[in-house]
Amino acid sequence: MTKNNIIELIDIHKSFGSKIILNNLNLKIKKGSSTVVVGGSGTGKSVMLKCILGLTNPDSGTLLYKDQELNEKSRINSKFYTKIGMLFQGSALFDSLTVWENVCFGLVQGHGMQIPEAKEISMKNLKKVGLDMNIANLSPSELSGGMQKRVALARAIAASPEIIFFDEPTTGLDPIMADVINNLIIELVSDLGATAITITHDMASARKISDTIAMLYNGSIIWQGGTNSIDTSGNDYVDQFINGRADGPIKLNIYE
Amino acid sequence: MFLVSFIGKITLNMLSETGRSAIFLFNTLSNGFTRPFYFKAVFIQIIRIGYNSLPVIGLTAFFTGGALALQIYVGSSRFNAESMVASIVALGITRELGPVIAGLMLAGRVSASIAAEIATMRVTEQIDALITLSTNPFKYLIFPRLIAAIITLPILVFIADIIGIMGGYVVGTMSLGFVSESYIQNTVNIIENKDFISGIVKAAIFGFIVAFMGCYNGYHSTGGAQGVGQATTRAVVSASIFILAANYLLTSLVFTQ
C-alpha cells in the first residue's frame, strides 16, 4: 500500500448463497485519478461499489480508505459519507422532495448546513450541470431521464466531495445526452480535484472519462492499466470486451 | 420424512424472521432516540396516517355502530331485552370494535402505503442514496412512522368510538323506535373510564403493529415492481393477523375485568 492510494481493496470476497460474486478482488485507486471499472453485466461491478460504500459487507478481505481500514464504525468516525458523492444508475432522487431539496439534502443532513445557505449552493450546482432555475421547484418525476441524471449529478457534487462514485452514468441515455453527461463528469471532477470511480460497460464513456481502466471478470480484476494502453493490453478477455465480439474467451450463459 | 423436513423448514423460517424483526426493531429504537430528531417527518406522518384516515375511519365506525344496533336488537328481542341495545353498542364499540375496526382499516390503508413507499425507495436505490448522504434510514424513515402511528391511532379510535356510538344512536332512534333521551342515558350510564382506556391502549399497540409491519416488509423488499407488490401484501396480511391476535391476547390477559 502506498500513500498515493485513496481507496484500496485487498482480497475482497463476496458471495450470495452459493453464488460467488467477488473472488479475491484486488484494486488500487490513486488519489486524483479517474478510474473506470468495466465488465459485463453480472460480473459484480455494482456489488464491488456497494462494498466500498458500506451498502453491503464483504464476506472477507480488507477495504482501505487513506490507508485506514474502512468498516461500519470507521465510516462513521471518519465521516466518510460527508467526503463522498454518489451518482446512482437510476438517479435515486427522492420523490417526496423537490429538485432543489434533493440537491441540498446531503448538505443539510450530513453537513448540518442551514437551509438558505444550502439552497444557494444547490442553485449554483444546478446551474453548473446546465439546468434552468425554473426546474428547482419541480418534483423529480416531472423531469426527463437526462434531466434527472443531471440533478443527481448536482446532488453528488453538492458537498464538494473528495471521491465521486458513478454507477453506470450513461445507461439509458441517448448518445448525445450520454456525451453531455460524460463532459459534465470530466469538467466537474476536474474542477473539484476529486477522485472519480466509475463502473460501466459503456466503452465509449469509459475511454472518454477515465485515465485508468480496470476490467472485472468472474469476480476479480483481470487487467488494470492506463486508458491509452487498453487497446494494446495483450489480454484476450479485454480485447473481446472492448471490441464487443461474441467470440472469444468470455462465454455468456444466457440462462444464468 | 417429507413432513419433518417441511415442519423444520417452516420453523427455521419463523425463527429467522423473528430474529430479523428483532434486529430491525432494535436498530429503529437505538437510532430513533438519538440526535438529530426529525420532528417535521413525525408531523408529516401524523397528518398522513391520522388526518387523512379520518374519513374512512369515521364512515366505517358509523356503519359498524348502526349494524351492531340492528343485530343486537334482533338478538335481544328474543329475550325481551331490547333495552340493552344502547349499553351493548357502547361497550362493544369502545372495548372491542372501535380499536379493532380502526386497526384493520389502517392495516389496509396505512400499512400498505408505508410498505409500498419504502419498498419503492428500496428498489429504486433511494434508501442507499440516503445512506450515502449521511442519513440513517432507521432514524429518517422508520422511526417517524412508528411514532406517528402510535400517537395517532389512539386519537382515531377515540373519534371512532364517538362516531360508532352515534351510528348506533341514529339507527336506534330513527329505525328501531328508541327514545332519544333514554338511549343517551343508557349509553352514559354503562360506559366507564376503563372501557375507553382499554380501547385506547389497544389502539396504541395496533398503531405500532400497523407501522412496524409496513416498514419492516417495505425495507426488506427485493426485486422490482413484483417485490413492491409482495411487500405490500405481506404488510397488510401480517398487520391484520397480528392485530387480531394481539387483540385477543390483550383482552384475555389484561382487559377482562
Side-chain angles (χ1 to χ4, degrees):
Chain A
M1 96 186 83
T2 66
K3 292 281 176 195
N4 211 15
N5 295 329
I6 193 162
I7 294 275
E8 195 169 344
L9 290 82
I10 305 165
D11 294 334
I12 298 294
H13 188 94
K14 176 75 186 175
S15 54
F16 292 110
S18 59
K19 193 172 168 63
I20 297 169
I21 307 296
L22 301 178
N23 189 14
N24 293 327
L25 184 145
N26 289 281
L27 180 67
K28 291 174 181 175
I29 308 290
K30 280 187 182 164
K31 193 176 177 190
S33 69
S34 177
T35 303
V36 171
V37 179
V38 295
S41 301
T43 50
K45 301 189 297 295
S46 293
V47 175
M48 181 197 77
L49 207 58
K50 285 185 175 184
C51 284
I52 300 174
L53 291 168
L55 302 174
T56 188
N57 292 318
D59 299 332
S60 62
T62 310
L63 281 160
L64 299 177
Y65 165 63
K66 293 183 176 174
D67 293 340
Q68 300 295 314
E69 190 171 345
L70 200 56
N71 52 38
E72 201 175 334
K73 203 174 170 186
S74 71
R75 279 190 189 90
I76 295 167
N77 291 340
S78 66
K79 296 192 170 178
F80 178 71
Y81 292 118
T82 62
K83 295 167 187 169
I84 62 150
M86 168 77 191
L87 176 69
F88 286 88
Q89 185 175 352
S91 299
L93 297 173
F94 305 124
D95 308 320
S96 55
L97 304 178
T98 62
V99 165
W100 75 264
E101 285 170 334
N102 263 284
V103 177
C104 73
F105 192 90
L107 295 173
V108 175
Q109 302 299 336
H111 294 258
M113 201 178 275
Q114 293 301 308
I115 289 177
E117 192 187 348
K119 187 175 182 180
E120 199 176 314
I121 294 174
S122 302
M123 293 302 189
K124 279 183 191 162
N125 281 307
L126 284 172
K127 202 173 171 186
K128 264 190 199 172
V129 297
L131 287 171
D132 197 285
M133 293 300 99
N134 296 334
I135 64 128
N137 287 314
L138 296 180
S139 150
S141 59
E142 294 176 86
L143 306 178
S144 68
M147 287 165 99
Q148 286 185 9
K149 210 76 160 188
R150 289 190 200 205
V151 174
L153 194 51
R155 183 174 71 179
I157 60 159
S160 305
E162 266 180 34
I163 313 172
I164 314 180
F165 297 89
F166 300 99
D167 183 0
E168 308 275 5
T170 54
T171 297
L173 301 177
D174 65 70
I176 297 170
M177 183 53 74
D179 201 47
V180 170
I181 296 290
N182 285 335
N183 288 338
L184 275 172
I185 290 172
I186 295 165
E187 194 184 314
L188 295 170
V189 170
S190 151
D191 283 356
L192 292 169
T195 305
I197 303 171
T198 309
I199 57 170
T200 186
H201 50 234
D202 175 354
M203 277 314 298
S205 172
R207 285 176 192 277
K208 184 154 189 174
I209 63 176
S210 69
D211 48 46
T212 305
I213 294 182
M215 177 150 169
L216 187 60
Y217 179 68
N218 265 355
S220 305
I221 298 293
I222 57 164
W223 183 85
Q224 185 173 4
T227 305
N228 296 333
S229 60
I230 194 164
D231 291 316
T232 53
S233 69
N235 185 311
D236 293 341
Y237 292 86
V238 175
D239 280 346
Q240 184 192 351
F241 185 81
I242 64 174
N243 293 307
R245 286 196 307 263
D247 297 328
I250 302 174
K251 303 291 180 201
L252 288 184
N253 182 357
I254 58 170
Y255 298 107
E256 212 168 71
Chain B
M1 194 64 191
F2 172 76
L3 186 68
V4 173
S5 149
F6 180 71
I7 293 170
K9 202 174 173 183
I10 288 181
T11 310
L12 283 175
N13 278 343
M14 274 174 62
L15 288 173
S16 143
E17 204 69 10
T18 307
R20 209 156 64 139
S21 318
I23 292 169
F24 187 82
L25 183 61
F26 174 77
N27 281 334
T28 306
L29 298 180
S30 61
N31 286 297
F33 288 109
T34 55
R35 287 174 184 277
F37 301 113
Y38 295 103
F39 294 112
K40 192 181 165 191
V42 174
F43 178 74
I44 290 170
Q45 291 307 320
I46 286 176
I47 298 294
R48 280 189 189 169
I49 296 171
Y51 182 74
N52 293 347
S53 299
L54 267 175
V56 69
I57 295 289
L59 281 170
T60 313
F62 184 85
F63 290 121
T64 304
L68 192 61
L70 285 174
Q71 292 285 19
I72 292 166
Y73 182 78
V74 173
S76 59
S77 62
R78 292 175 191 166
F79 309 100
N80 295 321
E82 295 90 337
S83 60
M84 296 302 289
V85 168
S87 310
I88 297 176
V89 166
L91 285 182
I93 291 284
T94 52
R95 291 182 74 105
E96 198 65 33
L97 287 175
V100 171
I101 295 284
L104 290 177
M105 291 309 290
L106 253 68
R109 188 187 172 278
V110 174
S111 214
S113 141
I114 290 175
E117 185 180 7
I118 294 180
T120 305
M121 290 185 78
R122 166 61 74 199
V123 301
T124 55
E125 296 183 305
Q126 289 179 54
I127 292 180
D128 290 345
L130 275 178
I131 295 168
T132 63
L133 292 164
S134 314
T135 305
N136 186 319
F138 287 98
K139 200 187 273 284
Y140 184 76
L141 288 178
I142 314 296
F143 190 70
R145 283 164 174 78
L146 273 187
I147 292 294
I150 292 170
I151 293 171
T152 51
L153 201 56
I155 299 169
L156 283 173
V157 165
F158 182 75
I159 296 167
D161 286 349
I162 295 168
I163 296 176
I165 291 171
M166 271 173 56
Y169 166 81
V170 169
V171 170
T173 53
M174 296 182 74
S175 166
L176 303 175
F178 284 96
V179 176
S180 172
E181 288 77 11
S182 68
Y183 192 99
I184 292 170
Q185 196 58 51
N186 284 343
T187 302
V188 171
N189 287 345
I190 196 73
I191 291 181
E192 295 175 16
N193 282 343
K194 66 180 180 187
D195 299 323
F196 261 114
I197 289 167
S198 72
I200 299 299
V201 172
K202 278 181 181 179
I205 293 166
F206 296 167
F208 169 79
I209 292 172
V210 162
F212 185 80
M213 285 301 144
C215 292
Y216 175 76
N217 286 293
Y219 196 84
H220 291 108
S221 72
T222 50
Q226 199 180 15
V228 176
Q230 284 168 349
T232 310
T233 308
R234 272 201 307 271
V236 175
V237 171
S238 53
S240 305
I241 291 170
F242 278 117
I243 284 171
L244 294 171
N247 180 55
Y248 171 74
L249 283 175
L250 286 167
T251 306
S252 63
L253 296 177
V254 189
F255 300 122
T256 44
Q257 300 303 311

